[in-house]
Amino acid sequence: MSIQIYNTLTRKKEPFIPLEEGKVKMYVCGPTVYNYIHIGNARPVIVFDTVRRYLQYRGFDVQFVSNFTDVDDKIIKTANELGEEVGELTDRFINAYFEDVSALGCGKADAHPRVTEHIDDIIAFIEVLVEKGFAYESQGDVYYRTRKFDGYGKLSHQSIDELKVGARIEESDIKENALDFALWKSAKEGEISWDSPWGKGRPGWHIECSVMAREHLGDTIDIHAGGQDLTFPHHENEIAQSEAMTGKQFARYWMHNGYINIDNEKMSKSLGNFILVHDIRQQIDPRVLRFFMLSVHYRHPVNFSQELVESAANGLDRIQTAYNNLKHRLSTSADLGDQPDIWIHKVDEAVRQFETAMDDDFNTANGMAAIFELVKMANVYLLEKNTQATVLNYFITTFERLMEVLGLPFGGEELLDDEIEGLIEERLTARRERNFSRSDEIRDLLKEKGIILEDTAQGTRWKRG
């Protein structure tokens, strides 16, 4: 079965056939860097990092690009409020972004272009649109003529007459039409700006991604992705700009992830339920947060609550414990006969279930269900008296392969028995000395490694959980 992708452009699942066999060009809209990212921003980063990983697992060479918007009204406003230079502010939050997403298990893109690095390219792109009659200058601004582009509205599936003015589109007397959007904005006093044929100014928001995607991936890309909120106007406008400029299809598959709710309410600053990744990862293991995000199909809304996060933590712990138990048993097992084939076939069936789920529009929820079936199998096998190294290794390497696809590789080396005994002895000493903070630290460390302590009248006992 080929990979099927739900394409927002056609509103149906389609077989994934890249332009060039074996290669994928993929662009994901990145953040506007004036603050730490919130968990709504984190969802597309996690989702499309996983899509990238699965495509690579399937043998594709993925060229992955995700941008930074590093000049924008909010950035300028924040920099002024803090008394910082725009570049100083954006550098700080780009570094913070990398810290947050790295903690969430997301790899860097092959390229992270910044708007300020592509000003000349943006100006040249706009000039072509003006020459072709798709754009016009008005009082130092340059606007795109939406009615000039016949396909406007095809991504959001609305006719141009039905469309309303959306986010970051402003009514203005200097525009020919309310839906016309800014490609270039004339500079206000004291703002960061660049010279252009239309005077000093800076790019509009939508033009940035059209230009950076083209510069790094070419006229036509395979997958363009982002949050559901970007469908209109941002992605709609990207299509209009890019296809008017090149005369070619801009992106063949459009992918959009669903929204995040907090305790069944829409996340918003006004409701006071706005959660920054920088803050939440101090309270919740980032691996758990990633596991939680992937426990729901990416196109569906996901509800963030303490109860659901705890459930995700328990689920991840079940997988880790099964893996730890397999590794532990491996140290005492050898190959004794011809039984492994039966179990290897069972493991292969779980892999097929995982791949079938992921081939179906990257259904990580069903992919996780296949991994939990693998956990059940492993636990049943570990009840056998004579486990064999071949089977144990096959379980272990399969767990590692599938969890790597989800961006959840297993932790460091498992603790040996003598290391555990040494830590338990240190904990007992700490308790005798009433150093309870160190005692708790050791208990937590052992718990993270899958070691459960039981304090009894006969002393402290331990087991692998």
Side-chain angles (χ1 to χ4, degrees), residues 251-267:
R252 303 179 70 238
Y253 300 86
W254 288 87
M255 298 179 67
H256 295 93
N257 64 272
Y259 293 113
I260 288 186
N261 296 320
I262 309 295
D263 292 323
N264 295 307
E265 287 190 301
K266 185 178 179 181
M267 186 176 69

Side-chain angles (χ1 to χ4, degrees), residues 98 187 233 344 369 407:
F98 282 130
I344 286 171

Side-chain angles (χ1 to χ4, degrees), residues 199-401:
K200 283 188 173 293
R202 56 187 171 84
W205 178 39
H206 310 296
I207 193 67
E208 302 165 0
C209 287
S210 283
V211 172
M212 289 185 282
R214 183 170 184 259
E215 290 297 319
H216 289 270
L217 297 173
D219 289 345
T220 302
I221 60 180
D222 294 301
I223 297 173
H224 197 313
Q228 181 181 336
D229 57 311
L230 298 181
T231 307
F232 179 84
H234 186 51
H235 289 164
E236 193 76 69
N237 291 349
E238 282 188 59
I239 291 174
Q241 295 161 161
S242 296
E243 296 187 1
M245 193 274 193
T246 67
K248 302 173 184 177
Q249 184 178 18
F250 177 39
R252 303 179 70 238
Y253 300 86
W254 288 87
M255 298 179 67
H256 295 93
N257 64 272
Y259 293 113
I260 288 186
N261 296 320
I262 309 295
D263 292 323
N264 295 307
E265 287 190 301
K266 185 178 179 181
M267 186 176 69
S268 71
K269 289 181 180 177
S270 61
L271 292 174
N273 62 357
F274 199 77
I275 301 174
L276 298 176
V277 174
H278 176 76
D279 296 330
I280 198 67
R281 69 184 179 89
Q282 311 304 321
Q283 306 162 30
I284 297 173
D285 181 348
R287 284 168 49 84
V288 171
L289 187 57
R290 182 181 181 110
F291 189 84
F292 164 76
M293 292 282 193
L294 296 178
S295 66
V296 177
H297 188 277
Y298 78 90
R299 285 192 287 112
H300 298 163
V302 61
N303 184 48
F304 183 93
S305 71
Q306 189 64 36
E307 181 182 357
L308 293 173
V309 170
E310 287 176 2
S311 176
N314 292 335
L316 186 57
D317 186 61
R318 281 177 57 202
I319 298 169
Q320 182 73 54
T321 299
Y323 177 79
N324 289 347
N325 289 342
L326 290 163
K327 294 272 282 188
H328 179 61
R329 184 68 67 85
L330 182 62
S331 64
T332 60
S333 295
D335 287 332
L336 302 173
D338 298 328
Q339 299 170 359
D341 284 353
I342 298 170
W343 284 99
I344 286 171
H345 290 323
K346 289 181 178 181
V347 172
D348 286 343
E349 179 56 33
V351 173
R352 280 191 290 272
Q353 291 174 12
F354 176 84
E355 291 175 350
T356 297
M358 294 296 286
D359 283 346
D360 184 13
D361 195 30
F362 308 100
N363 193 327
T364 52
N366 288 350
M368 284 180 177
I371 292 174
F372 282 120
E373 284 300 313
L374 196 63
V375 168
K376 290 180 186 177
M377 277 185 218
N379 291 338
V380 170
Y381 182 66
L382 288 167
L383 293 174
E384 294 200 354
K385 186 176 180 180
N386 295 318
T387 54
Q388 299 198 40
T390 299
V391 177
L392 292 167
N393 269 317
Y394 204 65
F395 267 112
I396 289 165
T397 56
T398 300
F399 270 116
E400 289 172 347
R401 285 171 57 218

Side-chain angles (χ1 to χ4, degrees), residues 20 33 171 328:
E20 187 175 351
V33 282
E171 296 274 7
H328 179 61

